[in-house]
Amino acid sequence: MNQSIIKYILGKVLAIVGLLMAVPIVTGIIYHEQETLAYVAVGVVSFLLGHFVSRKKPKNTVFYLKEGCVVTALSWILISIVGAIPFMLTGEIPNFIDAMFETSSGFTTTGASILRDVEALSHASLIWRSFTHWIGGMGVLVFLLAVIPMSGGSNINLMRAESPGPSVGKLVPKIKGSASILYKIYLGITIAQFIILLLAKMPVFDAICITFGSAGTGGFGVRNDSCGSYTALQQWIIAIFCVMFGVNFNFYYFILAKDIKKSLKMEEVRTYFCIIAASVILIFFNIRDSFSTVESALRASFFQVGSIITTTGYSTVDFNLWPTFSKAILVLLMFVGACAGSTGGGFKVSRIIIAFKAFLKEANSYIHPKSVKKIKMDGECVEHDVIRSINVYTITYLTIFVISVLLVAIEGKDLVTTFTAVAATYNNIGPGLAQVGPAANYFGMSYFSKIVLIFDMIAGRLELFPMLILFHPEVLKETFLKKRCSQKNA
């Protein structure tokens, strides 16, 4: 285990988080809020400590996937802890577990909240909540690769450990170039949404926070009714951009590179839009009698489908009151999730496509035992390692989900609340149903349940394995026991 490079990267991450706190600091200064001092203190200490830890670059900068997973998991735990401290210092969320839950929910772009009155927060804290979505949407380590020169071909292991999806490749030969391209696309669409929301006459502060939440597919709002009080036009804009951020960013890269053939070949994107269209139509016909106009019913259907499948979690209505059929579709969409290579969470559309094709291949082998048929995606054969990894991921995904449901069930809440609380946090969505529905929040959950859900949020955002590998006996031994032994020998 290359502990020196892990320490170096963690230092860089800590310094970056300190710098990023400039956003709530500037906001607090503009609105003349005393809560600004908390962000100044944490920002300065975080930057100086991170700079001190990473002041000397290690001679051995090579690290493998194991180190990539460990540093990724530790980075996300670290930023969640540091990001929670200002909430505690301001007194707006005095309890550490609650503050950690809120910040973990922000960075993992989950959007699950313990706050009963969001509008009571300072502007500095409101924008920090939403900004954590934007930071976590593309990934703090991808940001690190984009802005800080890090040599060595092993950098792909950082991107693989943090980026969502069954496989991660390079858009251009250098990882730094790929990371830069991703962030330029991310920033470009973010700016576009902000400008369009301003043109739709949304208040500037609301437009900034809602854009951050949409871009990171997070869902933290600045109003107690989420997006319910915004105009019909503003709701349409938010929903459309949520769907856009749920698309594989390679799709946008191919369009910008004028490689239309490759963009049209992306089977995952086509399936993603088909799932959205089918879900909107089914829900629309199921709820249309509950709305005064066809437009309002269609808007509510599209908004909630787009918000849930992209794991954003914004809401314009209390869909907990919808018919069981519509709620069942939304729960299924929680598990489907967005495209690989997007800012969305969930199981990912690409995994579902490949798993379904593997099922058809297996079924066909029973009828034609001697037939040889390869699974293809986007016109190319899917390697056996990818199929194997999806099978392993599926088993691991279901195992953690079942264990989490059982652990949260100890609290004694009803099955719908327990099941959807885990589903909504594990898949980085936010609101569930019943006591954790869009009109409620996670405040009433026990501290034990919140700790379980914090683990689910981070594990779900990092695609499980970085968090699991962190607790692997061999990794623990190399990270901690080896260090103790060396200290004793010294």
Side-chain angles (χ1 to χ4, degrees):
M1 181 76 72
N2 190 348
Q3 295 185 16
S4 58
I5 191 64
I6 292 175
K7 180 182 175 183
Y8 175 77
I9 294 174
L10 289 176
K12 289 292 184 184
V13 168
L14 194 59
I16 286 175
V17 173
L19 287 174
L20 293 175
M21 283 196 181
V23 172
I25 290 171
V26 172
T27 303
I29 292 173
I30 292 172
Y31 287 94
H32 307 289
E33 295 172 334
Q34 63 179 8
E35 288 83 2
T36 309
L37 295 174
Y39 289 95
V40 171
V42 176
V44 170
V45 172
S46 179
F47 174 77
L48 292 177
L49 184 59
H51 181 70
F52 174 77
V53 172
S54 61
R55 69 189 186 285
K56 187 178 180 181
K57 192 171 184 178
K59 294 180 180 178
N60 181 14
T61 59
V62 177
F63 56 95
Y64 299 98
L65 186 57
K66 178 174 62 176
E67 284 89 351
C69 288
V70 170
V71 77
T72 298
L74 290 176
S75 295
W76 282 75
I77 294 171
L78 179 64
I79 63 175
S80 296
I81 293 172
V82 174
I85 295 174
F87 289 126
M88 297 173 64
L89 294 179
T90 60
E92 292 168 309
I93 309 179
N95 181 273
F96 173 72
I97 294 178
D98 283 341
M100 178 78 171
F101 184 95
E102 196 77 11
T103 314
S104 298
S105 179
F107 280 115
T108 59
T109 72
T110 303
S113 180
I114 52 87
L115 294 168
R116 291 178 290 185
D117 185 7
V118 174
E119 295 175 21
L121 290 183
S122 62
H123 290 84
S125 292
L126 282 174
I127 204 164
W128 175 240
R129 287 171 78 242
S130 297
F131 191 46
T132 56
H133 282 332
W134 196 84
I135 298 168
M138 189 59 68
V140 67
L141 294 178
V142 174
F143 178 77
L144 182 71
L145 292 173
V147 300
I148 296 177
M150 293 181 68
S151 60
S154 54
N155 292 344
I156 186 67
N157 291 320
L158 276 183
M159 188 174 281
R160 281 177 178 162
E162 187 177 54
S163 300
S167 61
V168 175
K170 303 177 184 179
L171 296 177
V172 291
K174 291 186 177 180
I175 289 299
K176 180 179 172 62
S178 295
S180 299
I181 289 170
L182 289 173
Y183 255 100
K184 285 176 183 176
I185 295 171
Y186 189 46
L187 181 61
I189 303 176
T190 300
I191 294 172
Q193 181 180 358
F194 173 66
I195 293 172
I196 293 172
L197 285 176
L198 288 181
L199 294 175
K201 298 182 179 179
M202 180 178 283
V204 176
F205 184 78
D206 289 44
I208 293 172
C209 292
I210 291 298
T211 298
F212 282 154
S214 302
T217 60
F220 276 153
V222 294
R223 301 186 182 185
N224 290 328
D225 65 353
S226 188
C227 296
S229 58
Y230 294 127
T231 66
L233 176 59
Q234 291 165 355
Q235 290 177 6
W236 276 111
I237 293 169
I238 294 168
I240 290 170
F241 273 95
C242 284
V243 171
M244 287 178 64
F245 281 107
V247 173
N248 190 320
F249 275 42
N250 286 2
F251 176 79
Y252 298 124
Y253 171 75
F254 292 143
I255 291 177
L256 291 173
K258 297 181 181 180
D259 196 341
I260 306 300
K261 286 185 178 180
K262 275 193 176 182
S263 63
L264 294 176
K265 269 186 177 183
M266 296 187 71
E267 194 174 343
E268 180 185 31
V269 176
R270 297 199 306 270
T271 306
Y272 168 72
F273 283 117
C274 286
I275 292 172
I276 291 174
S279 300
V280 170
I281 292 169
L282 290 172
I283 291 177
F284 169 74
F285 282 108
N286 190 231
I287 66 169
R288 61 178 178 177
D289 293 338
S290 303
F291 291 82
S292 57
T293 64
V294 172
E295 186 275 335
S296 59
L298 183 62
R299 173 165 34 94
S301 303
F302 179 70
F303 191 99
Q304 292 312 146
V305 167
S307 179
I308 296 298
I309 194 172
T310 60
T311 70
T312 305
Y314 283 137
S315 61
T316 55
V317 295
D318 186 1
F319 55 80
N320 191 47
L321 302 176
W322 283 2
T324 303
F325 179 73
S326 295
K327 289 191 289 187
I329 292 175
L330 292 179
V331 171
L332 290 174
L333 292 178
M334 288 181 183
F335 290 93
V336 172
C339 297
S342 71
T343 60
F347 193 75
K348 302 294 182 300
V349 175
S350 58
R351 283 196 182 97
I352 293 174
I353 293 172
I354 295 173
F356 182 70
K357 288 184 176 182
F359 161 75
L360 292 179
K361 178 186 175 183
E362 189 67 21
N364 186 64
S365 67
Y366 280 81
I367 301 171
H368 305 287
K370 295 183 179 181
S371 65
V372 178
K373 188 176 181 181
K374 292 189 175 182
I375 297 172
K376 290 187 176 182
M377 185 84 165
D378 300 340
E380 297 181 3
C381 292
V382 178
E383 296 179 4
H384 177 72
D385 286 346
V386 175
I387 299 172
R388 181 191 59 80
S389 68
I390 290 175
N391 293 336
V392 173
Y393 181 88
T394 303
I395 295 170
T396 309
Y397 177 91
L398 293 174
T399 301
I400 294 177
F401 181 79
V402 170
I403 293 173
S404 297
V405 169
L406 291 174
L407 290 174
V408 175
I410 295 173
E411 187 175 342
K413 293 191 182 296
D414 63 276
L415 181 60
V416 174
T417 298
T418 301
F419 185 89
T420 59
V422 174
T425 51
Y426 192 37
N427 294 302
N428 305 134
I429 294 158
L433 297 174
Q435 296 179 44
V436 292
N441 58 31
Y442 291 77
F443 178 81
M445 303 294 285
S446 68
Y447 290 139
F448 175 75
S449 293
K450 287 173 184 174
I451 292 171
V452 173
L453 298 178
I454 287 172
F455 174 86
D456 287 344
M457 285 189 281
I458 299 177
R461 171 60 182 82
L462 299 181
E463 304 270 290
L464 309 183
F465 289 102
M467 281 294 284
L468 295 179
I469 287 173
L470 185 63
F471 297 101
H472 192 283
E474 185 178 326
V475 172
L476 290 173
K477 183 179 179 181
E478 288 187 28
T479 306
F480 300 106
L481 296 180
K482 191 175 180 181
K483 188 176 181 181
R484 286 184 182 178
C485 289
S486 61
Q487 290 175 347
K488 285 182 179 180
N489 292 332

